[in-house]
Amino acid sequence: MKHIRTPLAAALAGLLFSMGAQAQGISDDVVRIGVMTDMGGALSDLSGKGSAMAVRMAVEDFGGKVLGKPVEVLEVDHQNKPDVASNRAREWFDVQKVDMVTDLTNSAAALAVIDIARQKNRIAIVNGAGATRITNENCTPNSIQYAWDTYAMANGTAKAIIKKGGNTWYFLTADYAFGHQSERDVTDVINSSGGKVIGSSRHPFNASDFSSFILSAKASGAKIIGLANGGSDTINAVKSAQEFGIDPAKQNLAGLAVFITDIHGMGLKAAQGLQLTEAFYWDLNEQTRQWSRRYFDRMKKMPTAIQAANYSSTLHYLRSVKEAGTDAAPAVMAKMKSLKVNDFFAKNGTIREDGRMVHDMYLVQVKTPAESKYPWDYYKVLATIPGDEAFQPLSKSTCPLVTKK
């Protein structure tokens, strides 16, 4: 029997074909990436304009297009305020049709944005924020934590310090999500290793005066003063410790979220001997040096781990869009989790079901002024920490997306 195709049937078939083609292509004929970061506050040096530049470099290196469609990069300052971050994310997703938002320095802001991304079915790649809630109770199918987190920092830095006898701690903790989480994660390591937390002081974010906090830490007699803060807060705390006579023979500082721009800001004289954990170091090998020098040519400073991760994760996102044949979030996320990350930032990096990108971390020590031979020659790499040891195992995860065996 011959099939007769009516005009209505033809129209419906055409509509269905068009819808299918659109689903497998690029929405709005543009892939839009939004860099949401701290452009002028306490975290702007370790992220900020440098993160936006790293994303733009990745887009350029990819060719500026994916699946024949242009890639656009937008930038916005969330001012380290969760309500501002939420409002800008909604505007980006609803009005400007942003497909992926990245950087997300500041844990409170990042947690707000990944929830909006989940609601709007868009992708959020967290490079700046370190709170492990992002891949635990607040995990989503649409979000990835790519660069670092407080668990990895605690494991790398605290374990190494405790092994060397630093078994009593006092915390200077930034009073927001990241600081609280960092203190909790390090406290777990201290307690499980037979150490003791003597006390802590919580300071406001972007504090200008650390004198009372440093004096409390000094009076505690703790061997280690743990800096559960970041950016200018860490720099100001280290400078204040020098000013108020913290004696390295009796008490040492432990940076729990320190980046190379922080060391640059403190100077080697103040920072020398500090042990910390990093996800990336520009002078690690020839591949890291080549990219970092290109970045330096544009920004006149070496990249932090956050800035390098923004480049790496943007390239990984664009490759995944190309492989998926669409910018639709579920298909792209599936590709991002199936493809390994192999570039100057990570070797055989994998993105787990909880959204954690697992890669090696590095325990480093800040050089003395005499040991530093050229500009930005700041670190001695003490150890490489394999990714499966650095990050929280899935067996401990509270992410509802994780299938427990």
Side-chain angles (χ1 to χ4, degrees), residues 150 169-187 190 197-207 209-210 212-214 216-217 224-231 233-234 237 253-257:
T150 55
W169 288 62
Y170 188 98
F171 288 100
L172 300 187
T173 302
D175 195 12
Y176 75 110
F178 159 73
H180 302 167
Q181 185 71 62
S182 185
E183 182 180 329
R184 282 196 297 271
D185 286 344
V186 178
T187 297
I190 294 166
V197 176
I198 293 176
S200 67
S201 293
R202 291 190 172 179
H203 64 80
F205 177 71
N206 204 13
D209 182 6
F210 276 83
S212 63
F213 310 121
I214 288 292
S216 295
I224 305 297
I225 301 172
L227 305 179
N229 49 28
D233 283 335
T234 298
L253 303 179
L256 303 177

Side-chain angles (χ1 to χ4, degrees), residues 120-338:
K120 303 296 182 180
N121 200 22
R122 306 296 170 83
I123 292 174
I125 303 177
V126 180
N127 285 304
T132 50
R133 284 171 56 189
I134 293 165
T135 53
N136 277 301
E137 63 267 34
N138 291 94
C139 73
T140 83
N142 297 68
S143 55
I144 294 167
Q145 193 170 29
Y146 199 90
W148 67 289
D149 62 30
T150 55
Y151 184 99
M153 297 302 206
N155 257 5
T157 307
K159 280 186 176 178
I161 290 172
I162 291 168
K163 281 181 181 177
K164 291 187 174 182
N167 56 359
T168 56
W169 288 62
Y170 188 98
F171 288 100
L172 300 187
T173 302
D175 195 12
Y176 75 110
F178 159 73
H180 302 167
Q181 185 71 62
S182 185
E183 182 180 329
R184 282 196 297 271
D185 286 344
V186 178
T187 297
D188 287 345
V189 173
I190 294 166
N191 291 339
S192 64
S193 303
K196 183 180 181 181
V197 176
I198 293 176
S200 67
S201 293
R202 291 190 172 179
H203 64 80
F205 177 71
N206 204 13
S208 57
D209 182 6
F210 276 83
S211 56
S212 63
F213 310 121
I214 288 292
L215 289 172
S216 295
K218 184 177 182 179
S220 75
K223 294 178 183 177
I224 305 297
I225 301 172
L227 305 179
N229 49 28
S232 62
D233 283 335
T234 298
I235 294 171
N236 290 337
V238 171
K239 289 180 175 178
S240 187
Q242 256 201 331
E243 181 183 349
F244 286 94
I246 296 295
D247 183 357
K250 298 177 181 177
Q251 292 180 301
N252 284 292
L253 303 179
L256 303 177
V258 179
F259 297 88
I260 197 165
T261 47
D262 301 326
I263 305 303
H264 192 70
M266 298 174 207
L268 289 181
K269 185 178 178 182
Q272 61 183 309
L274 191 66
Q275 285 191 21
L276 56 129
T277 303
E278 277 273 27
F280 167 85
Y281 178 41
W282 77 269
D283 207 9
L284 187 66
N285 55 51
E286 190 54 37
Q287 198 176 11
T288 59
R289 285 189 284 272
Q290 284 181 4
W291 183 82
S292 298
R293 285 167 181 153
R294 287 178 54 212
Y295 176 92
F296 185 90
D297 287 342
R298 301 194 184 198
M299 297 302 298
K300 306 309 175 189
K301 62 180 182 178
M302 286 301 178
T304 64
I306 291 171
Q307 291 154 349
N310 271 287
Y311 177 95
S312 174
S313 59
T314 299
L315 268 190
H316 190 61
Y317 168 76
L318 292 173
R319 290 187 188 116
S320 299
V321 170
K322 182 179 178 181
E323 289 285 328
T326 178
D327 60 358
V332 177
M333 285 294 292
K335 281 294 178 184
M336 291 187 78
K337 290 179 178 178
S338 68

Side-chain angles (χ1 to χ4, degrees), residues 38 57 67 69 94-95 100 169 175 211 242 282 340:
D38 174 0
M57 287 175 67
L67 298 175
K69 304 298 182 182
D94 291 342
V95 180
M100 185 270 277
W169 288 62
D175 195 12
S211 56
Q242 256 201 331
W282 77 269
K340 289 192 174 183

